Amino acid sequence: MTAAGVVATPLADAYDRYLRCLDDADEYGAVDVALGLIEAGMSPRDVLLGLVAPAQAQVGTWWQRNEWSVAQEHAATHVSERVVAAVSAAARVRPRHGRVVVACMDGEWHALPPRIVAEVLRLDGWEVTFLGASVPAAHLVSYLHRHDPRAVALACALPMRLPQAARMVDACRRTEVPIIVGGRGFGPDGRWAARLGVPWAADANAAAALLADDRALDRLLVADRPQAPVSGEYTALAADRADLVAHCFAQLEAAVPQMAGYTTAQRDATLTDLGHIVDTLAAAVFVDDAALFGDFHEWLGEVLTSRGVPLYTVDIAFRALAERLRDFPVAHRILRDREGK
């Protein structure tokens, strides 16, 4: 779930020092910055939402711009995870409400934002169980049956994971535990959560507000809500994923002579990017929303440009997909709409 915050003016100096600690992978320095704010009178909640969360968003921006490597991003994330643990330990809040389970969707590995949400809920007095990244649906359902929590909060950071999110939501519905979802994977305004028939929390504060209203929680019982429709076109796209990726890669090899000299790592990265294109196209078909693919196209362009990858290669991949998907009206239309953009 999204845990975005805004750096207030009193936090500016601490924020800059915290970012330097992340850059240096200085766990102890980062913990000192956070605990120093608490000792100065700032609430643990504000430290999490005003310091740690926006710093993590900045780390993601640096990776997107190719200013930081994946290794730097992972090191910084580990440091912030240690800070979250230290802030939580310093708060020592005892639960006075029921249990809430917070988990990442199956295949979702961005665990720090929902971890921050979990800690904010803990500060509000909930007994929180955080299950971490990529929880298989069957295991989550078994856990919910065993512990019968007051609610389950599910996180999804990437729209390409929406089909998996839908399956997880449908599985959780059978437990009759109220479900809320969050994260950028559901769209900036939660529009795709509405397609799945579940309430969306924009941030940790919104999640806390939902859980604080008993009557609202009771209305979140979604066992009788309809499941998200799955089109035959999406099912066929998902089944053909490997062939579509291989076809795009072959078309790129034929059109881009430089690929003959690609290293194994470069070839693997290209295959990964093509997989993301196909997965995101399938997700756009799943929710029948071309904007999902359009947003991804713009994001991909920024990422590839920052890494010196010519954008005409994306056009080649899109044309190759459109050629193979002439009998897929929704997917074909989405791809054609992106031509020249």
Side-chain angles (χ1 to χ4, degrees), residues 46-119:
D46 287 344
V47 171
L48 292 175
L49 298 182
L51 178 73
V52 182
Q56 186 65 17
Q58 181 60 57
V59 168
T61 298
W62 282 333
W63 172 85
Q64 183 174 330
R65 295 174 180 168
N66 202 31
E67 296 174 19
W68 274 28
S69 69
V70 171
Q72 286 175 291
E73 181 195 19
H74 287 185
T77 299
H78 169 74
V79 169
S80 285
E81 287 172 343
R82 300 295 296 164
V83 171
V84 171
V87 170
S88 178
R92 299 181 62 85
V93 175
R94 291 192 175 275
R96 57 185 184 276
H97 304 307
R99 185 191 299 268
V100 174
V101 172
V102 180
C104 293
M105 300 289 182
D106 196 357
E108 176 58 70
W109 296 97
H110 295 81
L112 181 56
R115 169 77 184 280
I116 293 173
V117 172
E119 294 307 325

Side-chain angles (χ1 to χ4, degrees), residues 199-216:
W200 176 76
D203 53 29
N205 287 327
L210 273 173
L211 294 175
D213 187 336
D214 282 338
R215 286 188 292 182

Side-chain angles (χ1 to χ4, degrees), residues 250-266:
Q251 293 296 306
L252 280 172
E253 281 189 309
V256 184
Q258 301 95 303
M259 286 185 63
Y262 270 18
T263 64
T264 298
Q266 288 174 311

Side-chain angles (χ1 to χ4, degrees), residues 2 13 46 124 144 162 215 226 244 271 282-283 322 325 335:
T2 303
D13 179 62
D46 287 344
D124 280 355
L144 297 180
L162 279 172
R215 286 188 292 182
L244 291 170
L271 287 168
L325 297 174
L335 289 164

Side-chain angles (χ1 to χ4, degrees), residues 264-280:
T264 298
Q266 288 174 311
R267 294 174 69 87
D268 288 345
T270 302
L271 287 168
T272 296
D273 289 341
L274 293 173
H276 290 164
I277 290 172
V278 173
D279 289 341
T280 306

Side-chain angles (χ1 to χ4, degrees), residues 7 20 22 27 43 117 129 134 147 161 302 305 317 330:
V7 181
R20 289 196 294 273
L22 295 185
E27 172 187 329
S43 72
V117 172
T129 301
S134 191
H147 293 282
R161 302 294 182 199
E302 293 176 6
T305 297
V330 178

Side-chain angles (χ1 to χ4, degrees), residues 82-243:
R82 300 295 296 164
V83 171
V84 171
V87 170
S88 178
R92 299 181 62 85
V93 175
R94 291 192 175 275
R96 57 185 184 276
H97 304 307
R99 185 191 299 268
V100 174
V101 172
V102 180
C104 293
M105 300 289 182
D106 196 357
E108 176 58 70
W109 296 97
H110 295 81
L112 181 56
R115 169 77 184 280
I116 293 173
V117 172
E119 294 307 325
V120 168
L121 297 179
R122 196 187 312 277
L123 291 171
D124 280 355
W126 291 94
E127 182 180 356
V128 180
T129 301
F130 179 60
L131 299 183
S134 191
V135 181
H139 294 200
L140 176 60
V141 168
S142 176
Y143 192 89
L144 297 180
H145 276 303
R146 180 178 179 182
H147 293 282
D148 191 25
R150 187 69 177 98
V152 57
L154 304 175
C156 180
L158 301 174
M160 72 176 71
R161 302 294 182 199
L162 279 172
Q164 293 90 334
R167 290 195 289 271
M168 200 159 194
V169 166
D170 289 339
C172 289
R173 281 190 173 116
R174 303 186 189 103
T175 69
E176 298 188 356
V177 173
I179 305 165
I180 63 173
V181 300
R184 294 181 180 179
F186 293 101
D189 55 2
R191 70 188 66 176
W192 301 313
R195 296 285 180 93
L196 305 186
V198 287
W200 176 76
D203 53 29
N205 287 327
L210 273 173
L211 294 175
D213 187 336
D214 282 338
R215 286 188 292 182
L217 264 188
D218 290 336
R219 290 195 297 270
L220 293 183
L221 287 172
V222 293
D224 296 329
R225 294 196 185 194
Q227 294 186 353
V230 180
S231 70
E233 184 169 333
Y234 164 75
T235 301
L237 269 175
D240 291 345
R241 181 187 189 277
D243 288 341

